[in-house]
Amino acid sequence: MKIAITGGAGFIGSRLARACLDAGHIVIVIDNLANGSCQTVDPRARFYCLDIRDRKLQTILQQERPDIVSHHVVQRTTSVWDAAPLVDADVHIRGLLNVLDGCVNASVRKFIFASGGNALYGKVEPERYIVKECDPLCPQRPCDICKVAGEWYVRYYTRNYGLTHTILRYADVYGETDSILGQHPLTYFTTMLLENRRPVIRGAATERHDHIFIDDVVQANVCALKRGKNQTLHISSGQGYDIMQFYCAIAQLLSSDLLPLQMSDSFAEPISVVLDNTLARHVLG
């Protein structure tokens, strides 16, 4: 198959591109390198340095005619809070619509959408912090609001244009090797302890979240190339861990006795969320 990966130079996208190439697929990588670099792009892939909001994207998709488009674009902004919603919406909604229009015009067979995960559900009752895909969503941050809106746009294109889709809601993904662009706390802890510095833990250290290793995310995406027709799936471990458990694990592995600095945030209410992955295991095998 021919697979186009938007955000294909990023953390997840670049690993996915490599796995698809290893499996014998033709891969097109589309990325503006805002959160990646050309070094992460596998030389076997055809690479287009392009922003997904650019109208040239539609021309590229019509020329390449991919069977599947896997959308893994993530906007990581350093803007002030007031500007962040505008930036997020511009990339995650306007950019997504440009990609979806391009898919329809290029007769793309399937669209895989990388959505959010833990943060989509907001506050969950303490006695039932394990959530299913059908549970009510309550996104709190601009990026999560955009992801939920994006899911509905994807479903809209399925209903109106027959574009088959699979929506993947990721738990917090770890396994990054770039400490500068790293987002997971594990990356930060590792970097600080290797420099013999005490990490800072902000907020509630007892919050339990779902975390998943990058190789498992890639494997789920490879399975989704042929499975998961018009379904929304949790890609997760199905287990909850708090941030101190992660810290203690990495400190033990690095033989460090440094203790983290903990800073409480009185404005943030602890929210524990674990993503039930029963449906994904059944659908994706």
Side-chain angles (χ1 to χ4, degrees):
M1 286 188 291
K2 183 184 282 190
I3 304 161
I5 304 175
T6 55
F11 169 44
I12 298 175
S14 61
R15 306 291 183 93
L16 174 58
R18 189 179 309 128
C20 290
L21 288 161
D22 290 342
H25 300 297
I26 300 169
V27 174
I28 299 105
V29 169
I30 301 169
D31 200 301
N32 66 357
L33 301 181
N35 301 304
S37 69
C38 2
Q39 283 75 30
T40 62
V41 179
D42 195 298
R44 295 173 293 173
R46 287 206 284 276
F47 174 51
Y48 294 92
C49 186
L50 190 75
D51 192 291
I52 59 167
R53 294 166 290 183
D54 195 318
R55 295 294 295 180
K56 293 178 183 176
L57 174 71
Q58 300 207 22
T59 303
I60 291 170
L61 291 177
Q62 288 190 35
Q63 290 174 345
E64 291 286 359
R65 296 277 172 172
D67 300 296
I68 295 176
V69 170
S70 181
H71 190 66
H72 277 81
V73 171
V74 176
Q75 170 65 27
R76 292 173 183 158
T77 178
T78 55
S79 307
V80 294
W81 175 255
D82 289 340
L86 290 174
V87 177
D88 282 321
D90 197 43
V91 174
H92 290 139
I93 296 180
R94 188 166 73 89
L96 171 64
L97 290 174
N98 191 40
V99 176
L100 288 169
D101 281 341
C103 289
V104 172
N105 294 331
S107 301
V108 171
R109 187 159 46 86
K110 183 174 185 179
F111 188 79
I112 298 174
F113 180 66
S115 186
N118 295 319
L120 295 188
Y121 293 92
K123 185 177 180 181
V124 182
E125 295 301 322
E127 63 273 12
R128 56 169 303 278
Y129 57 83
I130 299 178
V131 296
K132 296 181 179 293
E133 291 87 348
C134 57
D135 282 332
L137 302 177
C138 186
Q140 302 293 312
R141 302 176 303 172
C143 57
D144 299 317
I145 295 170
C146 288
K147 286 295 187 182
V148 173
E151 289 188 7
W152 283 106
Y153 274 119
V154 170
R155 297 183 187 109
Y156 169 82
Y157 273 74
T158 291
R159 289 195 307 272
N160 289 274
Y161 300 103
L163 179 63
T164 301
H165 74 264
T166 303
I167 295 171
L168 304 178
R169 291 181 183 163
Y170 295 151
D172 294 348
V173 186
Y174 64 93
E176 300 157 315
T177 55
D178 189 328
S179 60
I180 297 175
L181 294 175
Q183 297 288 301
H184 196 279
L186 195 62
T187 310
Y188 168 64
F189 292 157
T190 304
T191 302
M192 292 293 283
L193 291 181
L194 287 173
E195 295 174 356
N196 202 33
R197 298 162 61 196
R198 294 177 68 185
V200 176
I201 295 178
R202 293 179 174 85
T206 55
E207 274 188 345
R208 295 170 65 85
H209 281 177
D210 202 319
H211 304 262
I212 186 168
F213 185 53
I214 179 61
D215 288 0
D216 298 321
V217 172
V218 169
Q219 182 184 6
N221 272 273
V222 171
C223 292
L225 295 176
K226 296 182 179 179
R227 303 177 185 178
K229 181 179 179 181
N230 298 339
Q231 290 182 292
T232 301
L233 306 171
H234 283 161
I235 305 305
S236 67
S237 66
Q239 302 178 60
Y241 300 93
D242 63 52
I243 207 68
M244 282 304 297
Q245 287 177 293
F246 267 96
Y247 181 78
C248 291
I250 194 63
Q252 183 179 11
L253 287 168
L254 295 177
S255 302
S256 174
D257 55 4
L258 290 176
L259 297 176
L261 296 169
Q262 292 187 249
M263 298 177 62
S264 62
D265 186 348
S266 58
F267 298 102
E269 186 178 358
I271 297 176
S272 294
V273 176
V274 174
L275 307 177
D276 185 299
N277 63 15
T278 304
L279 181 60
R281 285 189 291 160
H282 173 71
V283 171
L284 300 180

